[in-house]
Amino acid sequence: MRPILLQGHERSLTQIKYNREGDLLFTCSKDHVINVWYSHNGERLGTYEGHNGTVWSADVDSKSEFLVTGCADNTMKLWEVSTGKCVYTWEFDTAVRRVAFSEDDKQIVQITEQRMGFQGAIRVFNVNRQDPTKQSAQPVYEFNPIGSKVTVIAFAKDSNTIVTGHESGKLALWDVRKGEEIITKERAHNDYITDLQFSPDRSYLITSSKDKSAKLHETKNLSTMKTYPTETPLNSAAIAPLRPYILLGGGQEAMSVTTTSMRQGKFETRFWHKVFEEEVGRVKGHFGPVNTIAIHPSGRSYASGGEDGFVRVHHFDESYFRSRPYGDLGEVED
């Protein structure tokens, strides 16, 4: 499994995202730019320039028409994917930490940081797809979560409910219309939740945390179904379609890294069996913590973005699809 190395960022990666078809890979980092690549060969298609700070988050709609980005320059921008043109900019009082489209592409949810006397806020905006330059500057819904800071966010099954992960390790399901928590799991994790990704049908989700574990939760009641404990803080976790695997990435903070971390395999991408909760393999590569992982929608390849500024795209070998580490479990052949 030879990786394709994508060298288009000068600083560490913050989030990477495939589009619905999986032919494009969007990468954002601390160097102010968002890049888009062909995922099959790693050719850079273009860049989206206009932000003046770390781009914390990006999401692309299901038709690959629009890209939304959240940045430390206190703005959220909407871009035309095909032209690279910024069509609208929303401005806020603090940094935008996470952005996400709803399933039907009609809304965007985002979180802004709690800082400088401003409360952290969750906002939902309607997207005007007919005339993208005329967006409403005011959110449809806006509320301030009390208590622990929100770190990750995404729409749940429909655009009326969202799931949030918090600094304290709390996981919550919200009713957007009322701005109220429907279900709260205070101790879903014991530390900062770093990533949250849904299964293709959004019936369950995975969270990764600095408490060195990742967990699989049911969307409707946030009950923990599976736990994947590791020996290093995790920054990202993703669910593989086609095969029963979970991919985890992490590593110590850059400031506490020692020379032994590389040798001990702290910066590898780990593959865990989704059902049996056992580690089945690791992939080496990055020279620093893995910050973000995304899996191709077809399940045939995955990409990881690291603190080292590189994105590595791996296309799985045939052996990955044939391997049966636990014998024949009646798994569906592709």
Side-chain angles (χ1 to χ4, degrees):
M1 192 165 71
R2 278 182 67 93
I4 302 171
L5 198 62
L6 311 186
Q7 299 172 294
H9 291 287
E10 293 169 11
R11 295 189 58 197
S12 49
L13 275 292
T14 50
Q15 199 180 6
I16 57 180
K17 206 85 185 212
Y18 283 97
N19 65 344
R20 175 73 62 89
E21 291 75 35
D23 58 331
L24 300 178
L25 178 65
F26 296 87
T27 62
C28 54
S29 89
K30 293 184 177 177
D31 64 4
H32 311 185
V33 292
I34 303 102
N35 285 325
V36 58
W37 316 76
Y38 282 124
S39 63
H40 67 287
N41 63 1
E43 183 188 336
R44 180 155 63 169
L45 195 56
T47 57
Y48 301 86
E49 293 182 1
H51 278 302
N52 294 317
T54 295
V55 183
W56 286 118
S57 179
D59 196 16
V60 60
D61 69 7
S62 64
K63 299 188 182 74
S64 303
E65 274 180 50
F66 298 112
L67 173 76
V68 63
T69 56
C71 181
D73 63 6
N74 302 358
T75 65
M76 177 169 83
K77 288 181 184 284
L78 190 68
W79 311 78
E80 243 173 28
V81 170
S82 54
T83 62
K85 209 168 78 198
C86 174
V87 289
Y88 195 82
T89 303
W90 289 269
E91 295 190 3
F92 306 98
D93 295 317
T94 57
V96 180
R97 285 308 293 242
R98 194 80 169 202
V99 293
F101 273 105
S102 60
E103 274 275 74
D104 58 10
D105 300 332
K106 289 179 181 164
Q107 292 185 317
I108 294 168
V109 66
Q110 55 101 281
I111 46 178
T112 51
E113 272 193 339
Q114 180 180 328
R115 187 165 281 180
M116 301 179 301
F118 293 104
Q119 272 186 302
I122 295 173
R123 296 181 185 84
V124 176
F125 292 89
N126 281 340
V127 181
N128 179 355
R129 300 183 66 86
Q130 276 63 46
D131 187 351
T133 56
K134 292 189 170 64
Q135 303 293 341
S136 165
Q138 297 308 314
V140 205
Y141 306 110
E142 177 176 5
F143 46 95
N144 304 89
I146 312 297
S148 176
K149 225 157 75 171
V150 182
T151 54
V152 287
I153 195 163
F155 280 104
K157 282 259 197 183
D158 55 54
S159 50
N160 294 327
T161 50
I162 53 173
V163 177
T164 57
H166 298 249
E167 212 172 40
S168 64
K170 176 174 110 171
L171 197 63
L173 186 70
W174 298 76
D175 183 326
V176 175
R177 292 162 301 184
K178 296 180 187 160
E180 291 172 4
E181 292 182 21
I182 310 168
I183 299 166
T184 308
K185 289 276 186 279
E186 285 292 345
R187 310 302 301 157
H189 282 280
N190 299 324
D191 203 347
Y192 195 109
I193 295 181
T194 49
D195 197 11
L196 178 156
Q197 295 192 27
F198 277 93
S199 62
D201 65 354
R202 295 189 183 236
S203 61
Y204 59 97
L205 63 126
I206 189 158
T207 53
S208 62
S209 168
K210 287 205 160 84
D211 70 1
K212 305 186 179 181
S213 72
K215 293 184 181 183
L216 213 58
H217 312 268
E218 214 168 343
T219 307
K220 63 173 187 282
N221 55 14
L222 299 186
S223 60
T224 302
M225 299 192 285
K226 301 285 175 186
T227 303
Y228 313 100
T230 66
E231 70 289 343
T232 180
L234 294 176
N235 296 330
S236 193
I239 300 165
L242 280 192
R243 306 289 289 120
Y245 297 130
I246 297 293
L247 275 67
L248 309 178
Q252 294 141 305
E253 294 285 334
M255 60 188 184
S256 56
V257 166
T258 61
T259 47
T260 53
S261 303
M262 184 82 186
R263 286 205 300 277
Q264 289 168 356
K266 292 272 173 70
F267 306 143
E268 296 169 339
T269 300
R270 297 132 198 276
F271 285 71
W272 283 66
H273 197 285
K274 184 160 67 182
V275 181
F276 295 120
E277 304 172 273
E278 287 183 7
E279 191 175 315
V280 292
R282 292 186 180 187
V283 175
K284 284 194 178 73
H286 288 285
F287 293 101
V290 177
N291 288 345
T292 172
I293 291 179
I295 300 183
H296 191 288
S298 72
R300 301 206 156 268
S301 64
Y302 83 93
S304 58
E307 188 71 29
D308 55 10
F310 294 125
V311 178
R312 302 174 80 89
V313 178
H314 297 81
H315 291 273
F316 293 124
D317 298 332
E318 213 37 57
S319 58
Y320 167 82
F321 300 102
R322 282 204 306 268
S323 75
R324 296 280 184 272
Y326 294 90
D328 186 16
L329 301 169
E331 292 172 43
V332 185
E333 287 288 343
D334 180 36

